[in-house]
Amino acid sequence: MVLPIVNVTTTHEWTGWEHLPKEGGFIAAPNHISYFDPFTISHYLYKSGCEPYFLGKEEVFRIPFFGRLLKASGQVPVYRKTGRAVDAYRAAVGGVEAGKCVVVFPEGTLTRDPDLWPMVGKTGAARVALQTRRPIVPMAHWGGQEIIATYGKGIHLVPRHRMEVTAGPAVDLTDLYDCPIEGAVLREATGRIMTAITGLLEGIRHESAPTVRHDPRRAGQPDIGNFKKEQT
């Protein structure tokens, strides 16, 4: 169902397939700029030979028909800010250990950065990578925000938009494998992941990201949900 949509509405420039593991499970960690992102990332990974499995917010799984389709295809709902959030973590770990490509957006929600640079990440992706000791591959993409604007309304399919997607070498976390998976270790691993993603996006956009990464908490913005709606 995804392929006809992206083939008709987008063109693409893809690089970095050589960094995707050929065997065994791994975590794909892209930036998050638009609700169109799952289509962009699915297309890229599927055409590379990887079958992607996403962690996505639970609200999406409540959409009639589409939610049932997501569950039937093995996608994993995330019940944010609830006791059930651990279920998604366990499912992600199990998926990676079973040899799947599990896609985790480390930011946990659409970026709040005003210029759409990656913001401070949450620790979920790092936790899965450290628990499984499997590769975490940083990804960056650009273009989806032209189809569905970040925290905007409406879908703009005409003219066809160009999606640029790349993947980089797996983030080296091997020196953290024997450390307790907690606090400072998770923040260090997450920082490395976000730095790698940001570097890839700088290459796509041909410009430099801010030296200080946007932090929603410091900016007084909510962790989840449409922060622009909260401000109105």
Side-chain angles (χ1 to χ4, degrees):
M1 294 181 67
V2 170
L3 288 177
I5 295 172
V6 293
N7 284 332
V8 168
T9 60
T10 69
T11 62
H12 58 264
E13 180 177 334
W14 294 336
T15 58
W17 278 357
E18 68 274 13
H19 299 301
L20 302 176
K22 299 297 186 293
E23 297 181 352
F26 68 97
I27 304 101
N31 59 312
H32 204 0
I33 55 176
S34 168
Y35 293 127
F36 195 77
D37 293 351
F39 292 92
T40 304
I41 300 302
S42 293
H43 195 198
Y44 175 90
L45 289 171
Y46 184 78
K47 285 296 188 178
S48 78
C50 297
E51 185 174 310
Y53 292 83
F54 283 79
L55 266 64
K57 61 182 182 179
E58 177 269 338
E59 294 90 333
V60 176
F61 288 75
R62 286 192 246 135
I63 299 173
F65 177 72
F66 185 64
R68 293 179 62 185
L69 181 66
L70 290 174
K71 291 179 181 178
S73 61
Q75 312 309 310
V76 181
V78 178
Y79 297 84
R80 301 180 295 182
K81 299 294 184 179
T82 73
R84 296 183 64 185
V86 69
D87 293 342
Y89 168 72
R90 290 171 179 162
V93 168
V96 173
E97 290 180 338
K100 295 179 179 179
C101 165
V102 176
V103 182
V104 183
F105 293 101
E107 294 161 277
T109 191
L110 297 178
T111 181
R112 276 97 157 97
D113 184 272
D115 295 316
L116 304 187
W117 290 105
M119 61 181 182
V120 170
K122 301 189 186 314
T123 59
R127 188 183 293 272
V128 174
L130 292 172
Q131 179 69 41
T132 60
R133 300 192 176 190
R134 293 297 303 164
I136 180 162
V137 177
M139 294 180 61
H141 61 100
W142 192 246
Q145 77 280 1
E146 300 296 333
I147 296 178
I148 303 178
T150 311
Y151 295 111
K153 295 182 179 180
I155 302 176
H156 308 282
L157 301 177
V158 179
R160 293 175 75 189
H161 297 284
R162 181 183 180 185
M163 304 293 112
E164 296 185 64
V165 189
T166 191
V171 179
D172 186 4
L173 303 179
T174 54
D175 60 309
L176 303 178
Y177 283 170
D178 293 324
C179 299
I181 304 177
E182 57 187 23
V185 171
L186 287 169
R187 289 191 293 273
E188 171 64 24
T190 301
R192 295 182 193 180
I193 294 165
M194 298 312 302
T195 295
I197 294 170
T198 302
L200 293 172
L201 188 58
E202 288 179 324
I204 290 176
R205 293 177 57 171
H206 304 291
E207 55 184 319
S208 297
T211 55
V212 178
R213 192 168 289 122
H214 183 77
D215 186 338
R217 292 187 180 183
R218 290 182 180 272
Q221 298 167 340
D223 284 348
I224 60 176
N226 188 336
F227 77 102
K228 291 185 178 180
K229 186 181 297 185
E230 295 288 337
Q231 292 173 344
T232 59

